[in-house]
Amino acid sequence: MADPFTIRIFVPDGNPEGLRIIDRMNWTGLGIAFPREDWPKIKTRADFSRSGVYILIGRVTDDDLPTIYIGQGDVVRNRIDSHFANKDFWGSAAVFVSNATGGLNRAHATWLEYALIQRAQQIDQSHLENGVEPQAPQLSEAERADTQAFLREMLQILPLIGLTCFEQPKAVALPKAHADSAAAPPVLDEPDTVIVPAQQEGFEKVFVGQNAWHAIRISGGMLQKIKYIAAYQTQPVSAITHIAPVERIEPYGENGKYKLVFSEPAKPIGPIPFGGAPSGAMQGPRYTTRAKLLSAKSISDLVAKD
């Protein structure tokens, strides 16, 4: 188990959605979270005259993932001032600097920027605006240990201000299914398969290219039941063409959607054409059983009794 800890959040203007100063006992750092519109009136704070690292946060896409920009500076005020004038996407920011007794310098801040970008790319729960990937600066063994400890403190604070894209998603379900099981699955009425509509680009890039599918809404009662996912390719294909076993289901974004990760690449089936199914039948996810899916001649066979 992780060690328990206490976080103190000070709200100077009494608005919990406004400026927040975050610290904790025995930490040399200070976190500052604020909405973009507050920047002109808070930028004169002495905290922003220090070296530090910052994250600009925007909600500009429709896939539930935040868009972020990670930066650092000797004087973070100057960098954020520039972004306030020249970057329109962000609506809030999180800044991390040393407290009055700390000693965070430019090299430390550069390493923190590097580590945060690496982590964001690895976890892939955000859209990263950074165009240039920084190189890790040279730090002594002692400096690296101290800076890694500073990073751990930051990562504990970020979810408390609503930014979870640096957290490795934890699986909410771990299906035990394989596409080529020796025995045919029993014919059951309880759904074990979700069919998702996929446009050509998303199908090729994600369903086939990444062995995953994301931004799906799944009712809580279905999370532990889904073992397979099938792709309905929209026009001009208009047919269910592939199926894959699901290895795990994990949260995706911050609006209650999920990502399904396959245990092996999707395999062709059918195709199962739209046929005479009702208009709009495949505009969203549908649940069925793998047995019914593999025996269907058209999508009408899967939706006729709905």
Side-chain angles (χ1 to χ4, degrees):
M1 292 180 60
D3 293 331
F5 63 93
T6 299
I7 294 288
R8 182 173 64 178
I9 301 178
F10 174 53
V11 184
D13 60 5
N15 177 11
E17 299 297 324
L19 176 66
R20 286 148 289 163
I21 311 298
I22 306 134
D23 66 3
R24 59 179 294 184
M25 187 176 294
N26 298 324
W27 185 37
T28 60
L30 193 69
I32 310 167
F34 60 90
R36 180 192 181 110
E37 59 265 25
D38 282 6
W39 177 244
K41 67 182 181 183
I42 67 172
K43 67 179 185 178
T44 56
R45 293 182 64 94
D47 306 319
F48 296 120
S49 65
R50 302 171 188 160
S51 295
V53 62
Y54 56 87
I55 305 166
L56 307 180
I57 309 153
R59 311 285 175 175
V60 297
T61 64
D62 58 3
D63 66 355
D64 301 295
L65 297 185
T67 297
I68 63 173
Y69 178 89
I70 301 166
Q72 56 79 29
D74 256 339
V75 178
V76 293
R77 178 188 299 113
N78 296 343
R79 298 293 298 139
I80 298 174
D81 247 347
S82 174
H83 298 320
F84 185 79
N86 300 311
K87 290 187 183 297
D88 295 329
F89 81 90
W90 63 284
S92 62
V95 179
F96 292 90
V97 296
S98 295
N99 60 23
T101 62
L104 199 69
N105 61 34
R106 177 66 178 273
H108 301 148
T110 302
W111 188 90
L112 290 169
E113 176 193 38
Y114 162 80
L116 285 172
I117 290 175
Q118 291 287 308
R119 190 176 180 92
Q121 291 174 333
Q122 176 187 3
I123 292 176
D124 195 26
Q125 288 285 303
S126 62
H127 298 291
L128 195 59
E129 276 284 298
N130 295 71
V132 178
E133 185 175 339
Q135 299 298 310
Q138 293 296 318
L139 298 177
S140 69
E141 185 177 1
E143 285 181 313
R144 182 178 293 272
D146 290 342
T147 312
Q148 288 174 335
F150 194 98
L151 175 63
R152 288 194 294 271
E153 302 283 358
M154 290 172 51
L155 294 175
Q156 288 181 323
I157 288 172
L158 286 170
L160 300 180
I161 61 172
L163 191 62
T164 61
C165 63
F166 295 98
E167 298 292 302
Q168 186 66 53
K170 296 180 179 178
V172 297
L174 296 168
K176 303 294 184 183
H178 301 279
D180 293 324
S181 55
V187 179
L188 300 175
D189 290 333
E190 185 173 80
D192 61 2
T193 301
V194 59
I195 309 169
V196 295
Q199 296 182 357
Q200 182 177 1
E201 181 180 1
F203 173 77
E204 293 176 353
K205 181 179 179 180
V206 182
F207 203 95
V208 175
Q210 299 179 12
N211 296 323
W213 194 248
H214 48 62
I216 310 173
R217 290 199 182 278
I218 300 174
S219 60
M222 286 300 302
L223 285 173
Q224 301 301 323
K225 298 176 182 178
I226 293 175
K227 291 182 172 60
Y228 303 93
I229 181 170
Y232 168 79
Q233 294 194 61
T234 58
Q235 292 182 345
V237 178
S238 299
I240 300 170
T241 63
H242 287 71
I243 187 171
V246 177
E247 179 180 281
R248 67 183 185 274
I249 302 174
E250 58 190 37
Y252 184 85
E254 300 167 356
N255 293 313
K257 294 184 180 180
Y258 296 93
K259 178 179 180 179
L260 278 63
V261 180
F262 309 164
S263 59
E264 55 190 79
K267 294 186 176 181
I269 59 171
I272 304 170
F274 189 86
S279 176
M282 291 307 303
Q283 289 184 352
R286 278 194 167 272
Y287 303 114
T288 187
T289 68
R290 179 173 180 262
K292 289 179 180 178
L293 180 68
L294 296 181
S295 64
K297 301 302 181 183
S298 75
I299 289 173
S300 298
D301 296 336
L302 302 172
V303 303
K305 297 181 180 180
D306 286 2

